[in-house]
Amino acid sequence: QVQLVESGGGLVQAGGSLRLSCAASVRTFSSYAMGWFRQAPGKEREFVATISWSGASTSFADSVKGRSTISRDNAKNMVYLRMNSLKPEDTAVYYCAASIKWPFIISNVASWGQGIQVTVSS
């Protein structure tokens, strides 16, 4: 089981940026695809971004594509999500997730972080 702890959330003005970090406690971190989901109030949890085991491949939801990057540091067991040009509709609880299966979808997620709030004010 992978333990995941998110950090870096908070209140940001529209148009601003933030970087979410996720620390993983597992010896075989490089065996996991990593990514982020988010859930806004009254909505279902949705995919945001994912990065492959080696970091060579990334994928983004259309809603954040072009203004987000995802990266990982396998030596430090860390994954990062940087979001730019934030919009009020980006407001949600963001969850770090780990999976040994592909595709990176909710049903394949092996471990979830506790979630971290991101609020974008207009």
Side-chain angles (χ1 to χ4, degrees):
Q1 191 77 358
V2 185
Q3 290 188 322
L4 303 172
V5 179
E6 302 97 338
S7 61
L11 177 63
V12 184
Q13 285 191 332
S17 301
L18 62 71
R19 187 181 78 160
L20 300 179
S21 300
C22 175
S25 298
V26 65
R27 287 197 306 166
T28 56
F29 180 69
S30 60
S31 298
Y32 290 84
M34 300 295 298
W36 297 85
F37 290 81
R38 68 186 182 186
Q39 188 166 17
K43 295 187 177 181
E44 294 185 350
R45 193 170 297 191
E46 64 177 8
F47 168 76
V48 177
T50 186
I51 186 166
S52 63
W53 299 263
S54 67
S57 178
T58 60
S59 179
F60 298 89
D62 288 343
S63 58
V64 303
K65 192 177 296 182
R67 57 188 183 94
S68 299
T69 58
I70 186 170
S71 60
R72 65 189 294 162
D73 185 336
N74 286 346
K76 296 182 178 179
N77 284 16
M78 296 291 295
V79 62
Y80 307 97
L81 177 69
R82 180 166 182 88
M83 299 180 67
N84 301 315
S85 302
L86 284 162
K87 307 173 183 179
E89 51 263 44
D90 293 318
T91 296
V93 176
Y94 284 71
Y95 296 90
C96 182
S99 176
I100 59 172
K101 298 180 180 180
W102 201 260
F104 199 84
I105 56 177
I106 288 176
S107 57
N108 283 340
V109 170
S111 296
W112 294 95
Q114 80 283 0
I116 192 164
Q117 179 70 45
V118 172
T119 302
V120 183
S121 63
S122 57

Short mmCIF file of all heavy atoms in Angstrom, two decimals, residues 32-33 37 53 97-112:
data_model
loop_
_atom_site.label_atom_id
_atom_site.label_comp_id
_atom_site.label_asym_id
_atom_site.label_seq_id
_atom_site.Cartn_x
_atom_site.Cartn_y
_atom_site.Cartn_z
N TYR A 32 4.84 2.78 -9.88
CA TYR A 32 3.49 3.34 -9.90
C TYR A 32 3.37 4.49 -10.90
O TYR A 32 4.21 5.39 -10.91
CB TYR A 32 3.09 3.86 -8.52
CG TYR A 32 2.86 2.78 -7.50
CD1 TYR A 32 3.92 2.23 -6.79
CD2 TYR A 32 1.57 2.30 -7.26
CE1 TYR A 32 3.72 1.23 -5.86
CE2 TYR A 32 1.36 1.30 -6.32
CZ TYR A 32 2.43 0.77 -5.63
OH TYR A 32 2.22 -0.22 -4.71
N ALA A 33 2.32 4.44 -11.68
CA ALA A 33 1.89 5.64 -12.37
C ALA A 33 1.25 6.54 -11.32
O ALA A 33 0.57 6.06 -10.41
CB ALA A 33 0.89 5.32 -13.47
N PHE A 37 -6.52 13.72 -9.25
CA PHE A 37 -7.95 13.88 -9.52
C PHE A 37 -8.43 15.07 -8.69
O PHE A 37 -7.73 15.52 -7.78
CB PHE A 37 -8.73 12.62 -9.10
CG PHE A 37 -8.47 11.42 -9.97
CD1 PHE A 37 -7.34 10.63 -9.79
CD2 PHE A 37 -9.36 11.06 -10.97
CE1 PHE A 37 -7.10 9.52 -10.59
CE2 PHE A 37 -9.14 9.95 -11.77
CZ PHE A 37 -8.00 9.19 -11.57
N TRP A 53 5.26 5.78 -15.12
CA TRP A 53 6.22 5.27 -14.16
C TRP A 53 7.58 5.98 -14.27
O TRP A 53 8.16 6.36 -13.27
CB TRP A 53 6.43 3.78 -14.38
CG TRP A 53 5.21 2.96 -14.20
CD1 TRP A 53 4.84 2.28 -13.08
CD2 TRP A 53 4.16 2.73 -15.16
NE1 TRP A 53 3.63 1.64 -13.27
CE2 TRP A 53 3.20 1.89 -14.53
CE3 TRP A 53 3.93 3.14 -16.47
CZ2 TRP A 53 2.04 1.48 -15.18
CZ3 TRP A 53 2.78 2.73 -17.12
CH2 TRP A 53 1.86 1.91 -16.47
N ALA A 97 -2.99 10.36 -6.46
CA ALA A 97 -3.36 8.96 -6.63
C ALA A 97 -2.21 8.17 -7.23
O ALA A 97 -1.39 8.71 -7.98
CB ALA A 97 -4.59 8.86 -7.54
N ALA A 98 -2.18 6.89 -6.91
CA ALA A 98 -1.16 5.98 -7.41
C ALA A 98 -1.81 4.74 -8.00
O ALA A 98 -2.79 4.23 -7.45
CB ALA A 98 -0.21 5.58 -6.29
N SER A 99 -1.27 4.27 -9.10
CA SER A 99 -1.83 3.09 -9.75
C SER A 99 -0.72 2.27 -10.39
O SER A 99 0.21 2.81 -10.96
CB SER A 99 -2.84 3.51 -10.82
OG SER A 99 -3.32 2.36 -11.51
N ILE A 100 -0.86 0.94 -10.32
CA ILE A 100 0.06 0.07 -11.04
C ILE A 100 -0.56 -0.40 -12.34
O ILE A 100 0.05 -1.14 -13.10
CB ILE A 100 0.49 -1.15 -10.20
CG1 ILE A 100 -0.72 -1.99 -9.78
CG2 ILE A 100 1.28 -0.71 -8.98
CD1 ILE A 100 -0.36 -3.29 -9.12
N LYS A 101 -1.80 0.05 -12.58
CA LYS A 101 -2.50 -0.35 -13.79
C LYS A 101 -2.67 0.84 -14.73
O LYS A 101 -2.62 1.99 -14.31
CB LYS A 101 -3.88 -0.92 -13.44
CG LYS A 101 -3.86 -2.17 -12.58
CD LYS A 101 -5.28 -2.64 -12.30
CE LYS A 101 -5.29 -3.88 -11.44
NZ LYS A 101 -6.68 -4.34 -11.16
N TRP A 102 -2.88 0.53 -15.98
CA TRP A 102 -3.17 1.54 -16.99
C TRP A 102 -4.45 1.13 -17.70
O TRP A 102 -4.63 -0.04 -17.96
CB TRP A 102 -1.99 1.62 -17.98
CG TRP A 102 -1.93 2.91 -18.72
CD1 TRP A 102 -2.35 3.15 -19.99
CD2 TRP A 102 -1.44 4.17 -18.22
NE1 TRP A 102 -2.14 4.46 -20.31
CE2 TRP A 102 -1.58 5.11 -19.24
CE3 TRP A 102 -0.90 4.58 -17.00
CZ2 TRP A 102 -1.19 6.44 -19.10
CZ3 TRP A 102 -0.51 5.89 -16.85
CH2 TRP A 102 -0.67 6.81 -17.90
N PRO A 103 -5.36 2.00 -18.03
CA PRO A 103 -5.26 3.46 -17.96
C PRO A 103 -5.41 4.00 -16.54
O PRO A 103 -5.83 3.28 -15.63
CB PRO A 103 -6.41 3.92 -18.85
CG PRO A 103 -7.42 2.84 -18.71
CD PRO A 103 -6.62 1.58 -18.64
N PHE A 104 -5.11 5.24 -16.37
CA PHE A 104 -5.15 5.89 -15.07
C PHE A 104 -6.56 6.41 -14.84
O PHE A 104 -6.88 7.55 -15.12
CB PHE A 104 -4.13 7.04 -15.03
CG PHE A 104 -3.77 7.45 -13.63
CD1 PHE A 104 -2.79 6.77 -12.93
CD2 PHE A 104 -4.40 8.52 -13.03
CE1 PHE A 104 -2.45 7.15 -11.64
CE2 PHE A 104 -4.06 8.91 -11.74
CZ PHE A 104 -3.09 8.22 -11.05
N ILE A 105 -7.39 5.51 -14.34
CA ILE A 105 -8.78 5.84 -14.07
C ILE A 105 -9.11 5.48 -12.63
O ILE A 105 -8.36 4.73 -11.98
CB ILE A 105 -9.73 5.10 -15.04
CG1 ILE A 105 -9.48 3.58 -14.98
CG2 ILE A 105 -9.54 5.61 -16.46
CD1 ILE A 105 -10.45 2.78 -15.86
N ILE A 106 -10.21 6.00 -12.14
CA ILE A 106 -10.55 5.85 -10.72
C ILE A 106 -10.56 4.39 -10.29
O ILE A 106 -10.03 4.03 -9.24
CB ILE A 106 -11.89 6.53 -10.41
CG1 ILE A 106 -11.72 8.06 -10.45
CG2 ILE A 106 -12.42 6.10 -9.03
CD1 ILE A 106 -13.00 8.83 -10.25
N SER A 107 -11.12 3.52 -11.12
CA SER A 107 -11.25 2.12 -10.74
C SER A 107 -9.89 1.40 -10.68
O SER A 107 -9.79 0.32 -10.09
CB SER A 107 -12.18 1.37 -11.69
OG SER A 107 -11.71 1.48 -13.02
N ASN A 108 -8.86 1.98 -11.27
CA ASN A 108 -7.52 1.38 -11.24
C ASN A 108 -6.62 1.97 -10.17
O ASN A 108 -5.49 1.51 -10.00
CB ASN A 108 -6.83 1.52 -12.60
CG ASN A 108 -7.35 0.53 -13.62
OD1 ASN A 108 -7.94 -0.49 -13.27
ND2 ASN A 108 -7.14 0.83 -14.89
N VAL A 109 -7.09 3.00 -9.48
CA VAL A 109 -6.27 3.64 -8.46
C VAL A 109 -6.10 2.71 -7.27
O VAL A 109 -7.07 2.19 -6.73
CB VAL A 109 -6.88 4.98 -8.02
CG1 VAL A 109 -6.16 5.52 -6.78
CG2 VAL A 109 -6.81 5.99 -9.15
N ALA A 110 -4.85 2.52 -6.87
CA ALA A 110 -4.54 1.64 -5.74
C ALA A 110 -4.53 2.40 -4.42
O ALA A 110 -4.89 1.84 -3.38
CB ALA A 110 -3.19 0.97 -5.96
N SER A 111 -4.11 3.65 -4.47
CA SER A 111 -4.01 4.44 -3.23
C SER A 111 -4.38 5.89 -3.51
O SER A 111 -4.04 6.41 -4.58
CB SER A 111 -2.59 4.38 -2.67
OG SER A 111 -2.25 3.08 -2.29
N TRP A 112 -5.01 6.49 -2.51
CA TRP A 112 -5.41 7.89 -2.58
C TRP A 112 -4.77 8.67 -1.44
O TRP A 112 -4.60 8.15 -0.34
CB TRP A 112 -6.92 8.03 -2.44
CG TRP A 112 -7.74 7.45 -3.54
CD1 TRP A 112 -8.31 6.20 -3.57
CD2 TRP A 112 -8.10 8.08 -4.77
NE1 TRP A 112 -8.99 6.03 -4.74
CE2 TRP A 112 -8.90 7.16 -5.50
CE3 TRP A 112 -7.83 9.32 -5.33
CZ2 TRP A 112 -9.42 7.46 -6.77
CZ3 TRP A 112 -8.35 9.61 -6.58
CH2 TRP A 112 -9.14 8.69 -7.28
#
